[in-house]
């Protein structure tokens, strides 16, 4: 099941690797698996950082708009 889509800005090629074949490759070539996990960790960390930044920005705007600290 696809969970995301992408659009290339230049001409590219792609290869589809069946899940079990990919896991077997990672078992046989641990360096590949480590790089895949490292890349996924970077992606997730960036998404978390971006979400946190948006949330704190929204909170900051709400606090400024409501002037919550004016009566403290």
């Amino acid at each position: 099941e696809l969970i995301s889509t992408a659009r290339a800005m230049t001409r590219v090629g792609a290869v589809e690797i069946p899940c079990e074949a990919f896991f077997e490759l990672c078992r046989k070539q641990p360096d590949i698996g480590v790089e895949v996990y490292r890349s996924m960790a970077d992606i997730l960390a960036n998404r978390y950082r971006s979400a946190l930044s948006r949330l704190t920005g929204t909170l900051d705007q709400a606090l400024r708009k409501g002037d919550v600290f004016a009566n403290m």
Side-chain angles (χ1 to χ4, degrees), residues 33-58:
V34 167
E35 287 304 316
V36 168
Y37 287 121
R38 183 175 289 135
S39 294
M40 290 303 300
D42 287 344
I43 290 167
L44 293 174
N46 287 333
R47 288 182 182 177
Y48 175 75
R49 193 175 301 116
S50 176
L52 188 58
S53 177
R54 285 193 311 271
L55 288 172
T56 56
T58 301

Side-chain angles (χ1 to χ4, degrees), residues 5-54:
T5 59
R7 177 173 284 159
M9 295 178 69
T10 62
R11 187 177 177 95
V12 297
V15 176
E16 182 178 350
I17 303 172
C19 187
E20 273 307 312
F22 177 71
F23 289 143
E24 183 63 24
L25 174 65
C26 289
R27 281 191 284 276
K28 288 181 177 179
Q29 299 290 326
D31 291 345
I32 292 173
V34 167
E35 287 304 316
V36 168
Y37 287 121
R38 183 175 289 135
S39 294
M40 290 303 300
D42 287 344
I43 290 167
L44 293 174
N46 287 333
R47 288 182 182 177
Y48 175 75
R49 193 175 301 116
S50 176
L52 188 58
S53 177
R54 285 193 311 271

